Amino acid sequence: MAYNNNFWQNIPPVTRNLLLVNVIMFVATLINEEFMVGTFAMFYPASPYFRWWQPLTHMFMHGGWWHIFFNMYSLVIFGMVVERALGTRKYLVFYFVTGLGAVAFHTFVEWLEIKYLGGSLTAAMYTPMVGASGAIYGVLVAFAMLYPEAKLTLIFPPITLDAKWWVIIFIAIELFTGISGRGVGVAHFAHLGGALFGWLLIRYWRKTGKLYRNW
């Protein structure tokens, strides 16, 4: 595969276009936050603000500069690798399956909390969810499954571990914070849903011999 010196052009097409759409949506949110959040963020299905397209569009919405920075940084760093391994079409399917799986799992857990654990329906109805994090967790899981021994080092703390161990740690943290109710304002179960659907899809493709087969 030939590469040029233009970093933007060297980003595979799906990752590049996902990055572009996320940035455009973020800029639009800065210009008119009320309209963008009310229209494109994900609301609980019983909410009067819910629209059928929100399970898809919420993946391109972000709640602040750090939110979009870390998601897009992860998308570029890990998405580039996963897209080149799976191929463009399969990676596109993978990304949206994990993103939709994330919002489905998040909504299911919300429903359980409301029905059986005394959760507030009103709070669920009027609290939007935004972010690509569910799909990003799916991408991280795919990277760890494809390259489990790859060495990754955090910026802080500067600890180096195999990719598989980092992903296990991240998922364990999300599970703990989600169950304990800590980290309010973060959709922990969406992250876990994206990771789960990413694991299931890679496992299915590997088991059926379709993991590296071109579409």
Side-chain angles (χ1 to χ4, degrees):
M1 182 179 294
Y3 295 92
N4 57 44
N5 293 322
N6 188 324
F7 177 74
W8 178 252
Q9 292 300 323
N10 284 334
I11 301 176
V14 172
T15 301
R16 183 170 64 244
N17 284 289
L18 288 172
L19 175 61
L20 184 61
V21 173
N22 274 278
V23 170
I24 291 172
M25 294 287 279
F26 183 69
V27 171
T29 303
L30 294 177
I31 295 171
N32 191 337
E33 182 176 1
E34 183 178 355
F35 170 77
M36 292 297 292
V37 172
T39 305
F40 299 114
M42 176 64 195
F43 285 87
Y44 190 69
S47 170
Y49 294 108
F50 176 76
R51 301 292 182 269
W52 63 266
W53 57 79
Q54 291 173 354
L56 180 65
T57 58
H58 89 282
M59 290 189 277
F60 300 99
M61 299 284 293
H62 288 86
W65 290 97
W66 286 114
H67 192 198
I68 190 171
F69 172 78
F70 283 113
N71 274 349
M72 295 303 98
Y73 178 80
S74 300
L75 173 65
V76 171
I77 297 300
F78 298 103
M80 289 173 61
V81 179
V82 175
E83 181 175 351
R84 287 172 179 151
L86 297 181
T88 297
R89 293 179 182 177
K90 190 176 294 181
Y91 177 70
L92 182 64
V93 170
F94 178 85
Y95 188 88
F96 282 106
V97 166
T98 54
L100 292 172
V103 73
F105 192 69
H106 170 82
T107 303
F108 174 67
V109 171
E110 273 193 316
W111 176 79
L112 289 178
E113 290 176 341
I114 293 166
K115 188 170 181 64
Y116 298 108
L117 300 176
S120 170
L121 175 60
T122 301
M125 288 173 61
Y126 295 99
T127 303
M129 183 178 73
V130 297
S133 303
I136 297 299
Y137 264 78
V139 172
L140 291 175
V141 166
F143 180 88
M145 293 178 74
L146 295 170
Y147 308 101
E149 309 300 327
K151 304 298 182 184
L152 300 178
T153 304
L154 292 185
I155 297 174
F156 182 82
I159 300 173
T160 301
L161 291 173
D162 291 346
K164 61 183 178 183
W165 292 116
W166 275 129
V167 168
I168 290 172
I169 291 170
F170 291 155
I171 290 174
I173 291 172
E174 291 293 334
L175 184 61
F176 171 75
T177 51
I179 292 176
S180 66
R182 302 186 182 188
V184 177
V186 178
H188 298 291
F189 289 101
H191 300 169
L192 291 169
L196 174 62
F197 275 78
W199 178 76
L200 289 172
L201 194 50
I202 293 294
R203 191 170 182 268
Y204 169 76
W205 282 338
R206 180 173 282 164
K207 186 175 181 180
T208 57
K210 298 177 181 178
L211 184 58
Y212 297 110
R213 186 183 301 170
N214 292 329
W215 286 359

